[in-house]
Amino acid sequence: MKPALMPFVAAVAMNVAMLGAYHYWLVRPIPAIGVVDAARVYREEQERYLQAISASSNDAARDRAIAAARGFANTFPAHLASLEQDCRCLVVDRSAIAAAPGAIIDLTPQLRHRVRP
């Protein structure tokens, strides 16, 4: 009976080791979820640039404000993507969350801080 038990124990130990290695190196769980209200930040900045453009008194100031607005529109996706790298969490838009549990991190203030020059 004892010789038949050793291969079984070795197979179970090998399976446990392989599943542990698979979980450690390939299937790491996401540690946290971050929520950002990207549409709100985009609207706020859009209104701010629109006010700057309409309040410009000369063409040079208006052109600078339009260039700044274009720069914001071009860099906004990169700022949004960098949030995920910095917090090392899954970043989800607030509109995709139906009920927010306590473990969700609000990243909207950080995004707002990044997009303002």
Side-chain angles (χ1 to χ4, degrees), residues 8-22:
F8 177 73
V9 170
V12 168
M14 182 64 94
N15 281 329
V16 168
M18 287 299 175
L19 285 173
Y22 174 76

Side-chain angles (χ1 to χ4, degrees), residues 32-41 44 80 83-84 86-87 89-97 100-114:
I33 296 175
V35 171
V36 65
D37 195 353
R40 182 177 183 188
V41 173
E44 289 172 358
L80 196 55
L83 286 175
E84 183 178 352
D86 290 345
C87 78
C89 62
L90 174 68
V91 177
V92 180
D93 192 57
R94 185 172 298 279
S95 64
I97 302 292
I104 291 182
I105 304 165
D106 187 16
L107 299 172
T108 304
Q110 291 156 344
L111 178 64
R112 191 175 289 129
H113 178 72
R114 286 173 192 240

Side-chain angles (χ1 to χ4, degrees), residues 27-108:
V27 185
R28 290 189 180 179
I30 297 171
I33 296 175
V35 171
V36 65
D37 195 353
R40 182 177 183 188
V41 173
Y42 196 87
R43 277 193 313 268
E44 289 172 358
E45 291 301 308
Q46 188 178 25
E47 289 174 14
R48 192 169 72 91
Y49 284 116
L50 185 60
Q51 288 175 357
I53 292 169
S54 62
S56 300
S57 59
N58 57 11
D59 288 339
R62 187 173 297 118
D63 290 341
R64 282 194 304 271
I66 290 172
R70 282 190 186 128
F72 161 73
N74 291 336
T75 60
F76 186 75
H79 289 300
L80 196 55
S82 68
L83 286 175
E84 183 178 352
Q85 295 169 355
D86 290 345
C87 78
R88 297 192 185 274
C89 62
L90 174 68
V91 177
V92 180
D93 192 57
R94 185 172 298 279
S95 64
I97 302 292
I104 291 182
I105 304 165
D106 187 16
L107 299 172
T108 304

